[in-house]
Amino acid sequence: MSDVACRLATAADFETVGALFHQNARHYFGDRAPSLDAITAQVRGDVLAEHANIEILLAEADGQAIGFASFAVVHPAPDLGGQLFLKDLFVTAAARSGGTGLTLLRALARIAVERGCVRLDWTAEDDNARALALYDRIGARRLPEKIYYRFDGDALKDFAEGQ
C-alpha cells in the first residue's frame, strides 16, 4: 500500500463516506446494518451538511478511501481550549494493521493542536483488542476514573418524555 493521506471530507464525498459508514455498520452490526442507500442518504442529508455538528476525516491510499475518523470539537474544556472528541475510527478490512489507524490519530492530533484544543479524547469498546493494543502502544492514557453512560432505544424515549 502506498502512503496514506488524510483530508477533511466535503459534501461532495457523500458517496465515499456513505460506503465507509456502511462497511463500518456491517463490521459492527452484520446483517442488522442499514442498507448502503439508507446510510448514503443520511450522510448526504445530515452528516456532511453545512449544519452538521460532526466532521469526517478521510484516509486515502492509491486514490481510494480506506478509513475515516468522525469527530467534533466541543466546549468547554480546560484553559478555555476545546476538546477534540473522536466519535469513531474505522479502517477497511484490507487496510487494517497497515498504519492507517495511527495515521488518522496523528492527523486528528494535528487538527486538535491547530484548533487550539487542549485534549483529544475517545472511547473504545473493551472487547476490541486490536484497537486497545494500538491505543496502548502509542501511549494514550486510559482513564479509569471515567464511566461511560448511555440512554438508547425505549429508555432514551422514556427519559425524554419524563417517564
Side-chain angles (χ1 to χ4, degrees):
M1 180 180 314
S2 70
D3 290 335
V4 176
C6 294
R7 67 175 178 85
L8 292 174
T10 68
D13 294 310
F14 73 91
E15 288 179 339
T16 299
V17 172
L20 286 169
F21 278 22
H22 186 252
Q23 288 181 54
N24 182 51
R26 296 279 303 171
H27 176 76
Y28 286 105
F29 307 116
D31 293 337
R32 295 179 299 131
S35 71
L36 174 60
D37 289 341
I39 290 174
T40 301
Q42 179 194 30
V43 168
R44 178 188 284 186
D46 292 332
V47 176
L48 294 178
E50 284 186 36
H51 68 275
N53 59 1
I54 193 136
E55 295 180 75
I56 307 298
L57 183 66
L58 290 174
E60 299 173 319
D62 299 323
Q64 297 295 312
I66 58 170
F68 74 87
S70 59
F71 69 96
V73 175
V74 296
H75 295 273
D79 300 324
L80 301 178
Q83 166 194 351
L84 193 147
F85 184 79
L86 168 61
K87 165 56 177 100
D88 207 348
L89 185 137
F90 176 78
V91 176
T92 61
R96 287 188 194 128
S97 296
T100 302
L102 178 60
T103 299
L104 281 162
L105 285 167
R106 285 196 194 282
L108 286 171
R110 284 190 297 275
I111 290 170
V113 169
E114 289 167 2
R115 295 185 184 183
C117 295
V118 295
R119 59 189 207 207
L120 165 60
D121 289 340
W122 67 93
T123 62
E125 303 292 335
D126 63 0
D127 64 348
N128 190 341
R130 289 173 73 171
L132 296 174
L134 169 63
Y135 303 149
D136 288 339
R137 188 172 64 248
I138 65 173
R141 183 171 50 99
R142 290 190 187 196
L143 298 176
E145 69 272 15
K146 295 287 184 176
I147 299 174
Y148 194 60
Y149 287 95
R150 174 178 294 152
F151 277 120
D152 59 5
D154 289 338
L156 174 62
K157 293 174 187 170
D158 291 346
F159 184 73
E161 294 169 5
Q163 299 179 13

